[in-house]
Amino acid sequence: MRGIVLSDVHGDTEMVAKIMETIKKPDFAILCGDLSNYGDKMPKEVVEAIGIKKVFGVPGNMDTWDILEEMEAMGISIHGKNIELEGVKIAGFGGGIHNHPGRILHSEKEILEGIENAAGNGTKILVTHLPPINTNIDLTGKGIHAGSAAVRDAIEKLQPELHLCGHIHDAKGETRIGKTKCINVGPVKEGNALLIELGKKITVKRIETE
């Protein structure tokens, strides 16, 4: 089963459609948050640009509670939930951190509890908006680590096979925390996406669209 992973759309549905034109139509899509800039585009518009039925995702800090409400109504939200695709358990928790910019914000305690409640045992893929703190994938252009301690704690404890995130546009890349491969997908506006294959083995391939 083949999917595409996108993050930090920020309302750029034109680039989403352009990315989708460059690949063979996938079976599903995963969104790592920030579909909008404070609600300038709604989830329905993003899903229409993706052009497939099976879309799942979490909100980002720049999304609004109305965005999350529509995601829930559309059945695409995995915020605080888990789903199973091709025998692979995928759990999610979105939003940003209290006292940081944005609308959907949580304390680190709420983030950790939310991930643990959503994931439980056997989660192979964890989807968050925030990257784990003190890594190369949470480092801003000003050299500040702006990730989440709770996300890192959850990864260290749960050790999913794969962690997908975004948020820090300057920190596209990957790292490892224990057995977990952690990937900051990078923002859609720069043509970033991942292709992911689910099965006995999970594989990922980065694609970049100009």
Side-chain angles (χ1 to χ4, degrees):
M1 195 173 192
R2 181 171 170 272
I4 188 166
V5 185
L6 303 170
S7 188
D8 298 274
V9 174
H10 291 290
D12 194 347
T13 51
E14 289 184 7
M15 180 55 86
V16 170
K18 190 174 181 180
I19 291 170
M20 297 304 296
E21 287 174 1
T22 66
I23 61 172
K24 182 181 176 182
K25 186 171 283 191
D27 302 303
F28 67 95
I30 292 175
L31 301 172
C32 298
D34 277 356
L35 282 68
S36 71
N37 295 302
Y38 297 121
D40 60 338
K41 290 283 179 74
M42 297 303 284
K44 184 179 179 181
E45 295 172 272
V46 176
V47 170
E48 286 175 349
I50 293 170
I52 60 175
K53 292 182 178 180
K54 288 186 178 180
V55 178
F56 307 97
V58 298
N61 60 301
M62 298 292 284
D63 292 317
T64 63
W65 292 102
D66 286 343
I67 293 285
L68 178 56
E69 185 176 332
E70 183 171 309
M71 291 174 72
E72 294 284 353
M74 292 174 66
I76 68 171
S77 171
I78 55 169
H79 176 63
K81 303 176 185 179
N82 65 73
I83 57 169
E84 192 169 302
L85 296 175
E86 201 74 8
V88 175
K89 186 177 177 182
I90 303 170
F93 196 86
I97 304 171
H98 274 167
N99 300 319
H100 286 210
R103 297 281 173 81
I104 299 180
L105 305 174
H106 309 279
S107 69
E108 292 278 28
K109 181 181 178 183
E110 289 170 335
I111 294 168
L112 181 58
E113 290 176 350
I115 293 172
E116 290 180 340
N117 289 337
N121 295 324
T123 291
K124 290 189 177 181
I125 301 176
L126 175 63
V127 180
T128 65
H129 183 58
L130 295 166
I133 199 165
N134 295 330
T135 59
N136 61 300
I137 62 171
D138 86 317
L139 195 61
T140 70
K142 295 181 178 180
I144 298 168
H145 288 287
S148 165
V151 169
R152 182 171 189 131
D153 288 348
I155 292 169
E156 289 176 346
K157 179 179 179 180
L158 299 169
Q159 288 287 275
E161 187 173 335
L162 180 65
H163 170 238
L164 302 169
C165 65
H167 186 52
I168 307 300
H169 295 196
D170 303 321
K172 178 182 77 174
E174 65 180 68
T175 190
R176 278 199 174 270
I177 297 176
K179 296 178 181 179
T180 304
K181 177 185 282 190
C182 305
I183 302 177
N184 181 331
V185 181
V188 157
K189 70 177 181 180
E190 296 173 3
N192 295 296
L194 296 178
L195 290 177
I196 182 168
E197 291 274 356
L198 302 183
K200 290 183 178 179
K201 186 178 180 181
I202 300 171
T203 61
V204 291
K205 178 183 177 182
R206 184 173 290 281
I207 60 172
E208 296 178 351
T209 303
E210 295 183 358

